[in-house]
């Protein structure tokens, strides 16, 4: 009985949490801060990747990938914070 209850409770709780995350909009100050970070991240990542290549850093390939993933993550966060996903019907 307890096992069946947990089998139903956990997925329903997770679904409720995800629904809340999908509809929640952060405060305007957070939206503005995320937009500012997103505006400057591509330049920072480009400069960092350039510097890594110029100095021949032994871990340049991995660090370049980290920077690009960071840029992608910040862009996705900006889209969420500013409602771009909701406007696009996602």
């Amino acid at each position: 009985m307890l096992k069946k209850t947990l089998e139903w409770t956990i997925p329903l709780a997770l679904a409720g949490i995800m629904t809340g995350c999908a509809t929640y909009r952060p405060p305007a100050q957070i939206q503005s801060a995320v937009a500012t970070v997103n505006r400057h991240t591509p330049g920072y990542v480009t400069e960092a990747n350039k510097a890594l290549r110029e100095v021949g850093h032994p871990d340049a390939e991995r660090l370049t990938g980290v920077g690009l993933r960071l840029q992608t993550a910040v862009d996705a966060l900006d889209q969420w914070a500013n409602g771009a996903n909701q406007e696009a019907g996602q």
Side-chain angles (χ1 to χ4, degrees), residues 41-42 44-72:
T41 298
Y44 294 151
V45 169
T46 300
E47 288 297 317
N49 290 346
K50 179 181 172 188
L52 286 168
R53 284 190 306 272
E54 287 176 354
V55 298
H57 192 283
D59 217 9
E61 186 176 334
R62 183 184 68 81
L63 294 172
T64 298
V66 169
L68 295 174
R69 287 190 298 278
L70 173 65
Q71 184 175 340
T72 301

Side-chain angles (χ1 to χ4, degrees), residues 22 79 83-90:
Q79 289 178 18
N85 287 340
Q86 291 174 354
E87 293 167 7
Q90 295 180 349

Side-chain angles (χ1 to χ4, degrees), residues 10-41:
I10 293 172
L12 289 174
L14 290 174
I17 290 169
M18 294 305 293
T19 300
C21 289
T23 59
Y24 171 73
R25 293 287 305 272
Q29 289 177 320
I30 300 297
Q31 291 176 358
S32 176
V34 170
T36 299
V37 170
N38 189 41
R39 186 171 49 249
H40 297 290
T41 298

